[in-house]
């Protein structure tokens, strides 16, 4: 196998799961999400100029932004609201200290309901940050907003959640 193909396979294995999860969060359809991600990788492979991206963060941003754009195009076709939380409650992670005090299912349900109450853009940014572990800069680039806006929206979400989740 050529070096380019090996490099491509490594990228595919590394980023595909996160990209599919990201696309699924927008599309609410795993099959469509997988198709979008596969299309992005095919475009990346066929688009020689993009294969020259060597910096890891630039490549990651390119892939996530491409998946976001293709997902939005898909949503425009089907007219689905892309800011809702996925129906799968397991997408929300919970720290182990909380799990010790309250059952995991109960806290996930409460978090899910609370996050649903956040404004749409705030909710989307919070999910991208906490569920998909994206940096403020990555989120800002993908959503075409400033990193400070991302920081402020995450702060708003955390402040809201702190009010309704008691600390013991």
């Amino acid at each position: 196998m050529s070096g380019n193909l090996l490099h491509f396979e490594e990228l595919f294995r590394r980023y595909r799961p996160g990209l599919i999860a990201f696309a699924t969060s927008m599309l609410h359809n795993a099959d469509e999400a997988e198709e979008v991600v596969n299309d992005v990788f095919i475009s990346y492979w066929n688009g020689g100029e993009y294969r020259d991206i060597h910096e890891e963060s630039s490549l990651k941003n390119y892939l996530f932004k491409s998946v976001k754009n293709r997902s939005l195009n898909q949503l425009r076709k089907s007219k689905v609201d892309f800011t809702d939380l996925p129906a799968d409650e397991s997408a929300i992670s919970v720290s182990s200290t909380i799990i010790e005090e309250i059952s995991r299912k109960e806290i996930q349900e409460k978090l899910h309901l609370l996050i649903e109450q956040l404004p749409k853009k705030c909710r989307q940014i919070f999910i991208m940050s906490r569920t998909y572990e994206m940096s403020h800069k990555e989120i800002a680039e993908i959503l075409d907003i400033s990193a400070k806006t991302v920081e402020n929206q995450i702060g708003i979400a955390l402040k809201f959640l702190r009010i309704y989740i008691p600390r013991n």
Side-chain angles (χ1 to χ4, degrees):
M1 271 194 232
S2 72
N4 284 341
L5 184 56
L6 289 174
H7 178 69
F8 178 78
E9 285 182 12
E10 177 187 335
L11 294 174
F12 185 79
R13 280 192 213 106
R14 182 181 317 147
Y15 291 114
R16 185 174 180 270
L19 291 169
I20 288 176
F22 178 59
T24 301
S25 76
M26 293 178 70
L27 298 170
H28 303 290
N29 183 313
D31 292 333
E32 286 180 12
E34 190 169 343
E35 186 175 330
V36 164
V37 171
N38 289 340
D39 287 347
V40 166
F41 275 108
I42 289 169
S43 293
Y44 174 75
W45 178 254
N46 290 332
E49 70 274 7
Y50 295 117
R51 283 187 273 155
D52 292 336
I53 301 172
H54 296 292
E55 188 177 320
E56 187 74 21
S57 64
S58 296
L59 178 60
K60 183 177 180 182
N61 287 337
Y62 164 77
L63 292 171
F64 272 93
K65 195 166 221 166
S66 296
V67 166
K68 174 197 159 213
N69 290 336
R70 285 185 188 253
S71 295
L72 289 173
N73 289 338
Q74 183 75 22
L75 288 168
R76 284 183 193 106
K77 290 177 188 174
S78 61
K79 297 180 182 177
V80 175
D81 183 9
F82 67 91
T83 58
D84 290 338
L85 281 173
D88 180 12
E89 293 171 359
S90 66
I92 302 170
S93 62
V94 180
S95 72
S96 61
T97 57
I98 295 174
I99 294 172
E100 293 171 3
E101 297 171 12
I102 303 171
S103 76
R104 182 181 182 112
K105 187 161 179 73
E106 288 174 355
I107 196 70
Q108 284 179 331
E109 288 172 5
K110 185 170 186 168
L111 275 173
H112 183 77
L113 292 173
L114 289 171
I115 292 171
E116 282 278 331
Q117 295 176 24
L118 292 170
K120 287 183 179 185
K121 189 59 94 173
C122 183
R123 177 174 56 227
Q124 182 183 27
I125 291 169
F126 185 78
I127 291 169
M128 291 170 78
S129 170
R130 295 308 193 258
T131 303
Y132 301 111
E133 300 177 358
M134 297 174 73
S135 71
H136 293 185
K137 183 179 177 186
E138 290 170 332
I139 295 168
E141 287 177 8
I142 289 170
L143 298 179
D144 198 24
I145 57 177
S146 73
K148 188 66 174 170
T149 300
V150 172
E151 183 179 332
N152 289 339
Q153 291 297 308
I154 291 172
I156 289 168
L158 290 173
K159 184 176 180 182
F160 175 79
L161 292 174
R162 282 188 199 110
I163 291 170
Y164 294 101
I165 298 177
R167 292 184 181 188
N168 291 343

